[in-house]
Amino acid sequence: MQRYYIGIMSGTSADGADLALVAFDEAKKGCEKIQLIGHVFHPYTDTFHSRVTSLYQPKGDNIDLMASLSVELAHFYHQAINALLERFRITREQIIAVGNHGQTIRHRPEKTNINAVPFTLQIGCNQTLACLSNLRVIGDFRTKDVALGGQGAPLVPAFHQFLFEERDNDTFIVNLGGIANITYLPSSKEKKVLGFDTGPANALLDAWCYKHSQQRHDKDGHWAASGNVIPELLTSLLADPYFAKPAPKSTGREYFTLDWLALHLNPEWLPNDIQATLAQLTATTIANEVNKLSPKSFVYLCGGGINNLHCYKLLKQQLKQHIVNNIHSLGLNNQAFEASAFAWLAYAYDKKIYNQIPDVTGASRQTILGIEFTP
């Protein structure tokens, strides 16, 4: 009987959950080691999206809402698992475990004041999900890394290293999610694998678009393409200390907000010109980091942002010395790619494979991340 792992990923864009049904073949090499059997995407309703994103910033006593949403998300994930199994005619007995990332609502990996301690918080109750689904759930992947002094993010570079274990060229995986992050896989074994958040991507673009159009995203980047970059605004945004900060580093939607953007705005600027500048900010901050690490490489783009054709074009313009493609060129499914990473994290937990890279997160030691929750 063929057996599988399920990975669940809810990104910082808070638009829904991707589920990947995955099998692993240790006898194969490279990207062939992972076999995607199926993928489903379950969108959040507008109301649910608003309730989740309302937790990104402190607002009075929102503990009740957080706790309630955590359990509601577990029910949402359970329904999505049922839909996945039904669509691909898989029985529960064939599922080894579910790797659940959860929904990040706060990510503070560094002290914000003298009394604060680093933490990261994902909701989507793993124990509730295990009991509802009658499946083993491996979750809470980030907390241990933070306890070891790490950022708790990004975690997917270990998965990327698994896929590209044998490589002859410098390789980058660039994820255009709510926040953009990169994985650097050097061709030389003497250089370190690195990964970090470069700054905002879809989070700010989507938020600004919604503010002015009530649309959750700028389809294909058409609105940004209709505007002109405002040099003064771009310079001001790039001056934020986060962009000059050395890795390891990670950030979230709670930092790059519309309030953060408002500090830099002139009321005379047109909304579409501001959108054009935000798209340029995403491309510039990514390209700056890639060019610093390697003069020439293979760059593979993934994440929801690759559907933003304007951002894709800007990135290719700023990475002219590199070979830029999206993840589909490797035979990998972009929509399922990050969910597949969390299926792998569950697989790595079971196989006792180190699934975290201290040079990426800044943790004091290499370890196996995740906690097992049983029905």
Side-chain angles (χ1 to χ4, degrees):
M1 178 177 66
Q2 178 70 60
R3 304 195 70 196
Y4 308 98
Y5 286 85
I6 293 174
I8 306 177
M9 180 63 198
S10 303
T12 53
S13 295
D15 56 353
D18 282 294
L19 280 75
L21 180 67
V22 172
F24 295 96
D25 189 340
E26 296 175 6
K28 294 185 177 180
K29 296 181 179 181
C31 296
E32 294 182 356
K33 289 187 286 190
I34 181 170
Q35 182 184 7
L36 177 67
I37 307 302
H39 162 262
V40 295
F41 173 71
H42 274 244
Y44 293 165
T45 64
D46 288 343
T47 300
F48 199 75
H49 167 82
S50 296
R51 292 172 71 209
V52 169
T53 55
S54 72
L55 293 173
Y56 287 172
Q57 295 295 321
K59 292 179 183 177
D61 184 8
N62 52 15
I63 294 177
D64 285 352
L65 175 60
M66 179 194 72
S68 175
L69 275 177
S70 186
V71 176
E72 287 180 58
L73 263 175
H75 283 263
F76 179 89
Y77 294 153
H78 173 231
Q79 292 168 6
I81 288 172
N82 287 342
L84 179 74
L85 296 179
E86 183 177 351
R87 179 178 300 182
F88 297 99
R89 298 181 180 180
I90 303 295
T91 66
R92 271 175 166 67
E93 290 71 30
Q94 290 178 271
I95 304 302
I96 302 169
V98 176
N100 181 36
H101 171 268
Q103 179 73 60
T104 299
I105 60 168
R106 202 67 52 82
H107 186 65
R108 299 267 172 80
E110 296 175 352
K111 287 187 176 183
T112 53
N113 60 60
I114 194 169
N115 295 315
V117 294
F119 72 94
T120 185
L121 180 60
Q122 289 75 40
I123 60 172
C125 181
N126 291 297
Q127 189 61 75
T128 300
L129 178 59
C131 291
L132 286 172
S133 65
N134 200 32
L135 295 170
R136 291 173 62 239
V137 175
I138 313 300
D140 195 14
F141 290 105
R142 301 189 184 276
T143 304
K144 185 177 181 182
D145 188 82
V146 173
L148 292 171
Q151 296 276 315
L155 298 183
V156 292
F159 172 61
H160 298 158
Q161 187 179 39
F162 168 79
L163 293 179
F164 294 89
E165 188 174 7
E166 297 180 9
R167 54 189 179 273
D168 299 321
N169 301 281
D170 284 0
T171 302
F172 288 89
I173 310 296
V174 177
N175 177 46
L176 294 164
I179 298 296
N181 55 68
I182 66 173
T183 298
Y184 170 51
L185 302 168
S187 56
S188 171
K189 301 295 184 184
E190 296 177 0
K191 293 183 178 180
K192 295 177 179 178
V193 171
L194 297 175
F196 53 90
D197 293 343
T198 58
N202 300 333
L204 267 183
L205 289 165
D206 292 351
W208 186 251
C209 181
Y210 188 79
K211 179 183 172 80
H212 291 276
S213 69
Q214 296 302 297
Q215 299 297 314
R216 279 203 201 172
H217 67 278
D218 178 11
K219 184 172 173 56
D220 296 330
H222 289 320
W223 191 42
S226 74
N228 296 301
V229 173
I230 305 167
E232 179 184 349
L233 174 58
L234 182 61
T235 299
S236 179
L237 296 174
L238 287 170
D240 188 276
Y242 181 81
F243 301 121
K245 185 179 176 182
K249 62 178 180 178
S250 60
T251 187
R253 284 184 64 144
E254 69 277 3
Y255 184 89
F256 289 107
T257 64
L258 289 182
D259 288 339
W260 173 84
L261 176 61
L263 298 173
H264 304 268
L265 296 184
N266 183 322
E268 296 180 0
W269 292 334
L270 297 175
N272 64 330
D273 289 344
I274 294 170
Q275 185 78 348
T277 308
L278 291 176
Q280 188 67 61
L281 174 70
T282 295
T284 298
T285 49
I286 291 169
N288 284 350
E289 298 294 354
V290 170
N291 286 323
K292 263 192 267 182
L293 289 168
S294 177
K296 188 175 182 180
S297 67
F298 285 92
V299 178
Y300 297 101
L301 306 180
C302 62
I306 69 170
N307 298 315
N308 187 317
L309 302 181
H310 183 64
C311 269
Y312 191 96
K313 178 182 175 182
L314 293 175
L315 270 168
K316 293 200 79 165
Q317 288 174 348
Q318 295 203 42
L319 294 171
K320 289 181 179 178
Q321 304 305 313
H322 305 262
I323 299 173
V324 181
N325 283 298
N326 63 39
I327 206 72
H328 294 300
S329 65
L330 296 170
L332 298 169
N333 184 309
N334 177 57
Q335 285 184 296
F337 191 51
E338 205 164 6
S340 297
F342 283 88
W344 177 80
L345 282 164
Y347 164 83
Y349 174 91
D350 282 346
K351 297 293 183 179
K352 296 181 171 52
I353 299 170
Y354 286 125
N355 56 15
Q356 158 259 28
I357 304 173
D359 288 323
V360 169
T361 66
S364 59
R365 62 180 170 86
Q366 194 174 42
T367 188
I368 297 170
L369 301 178
I371 295 175
E372 180 178 357
F373 299 84
T374 57

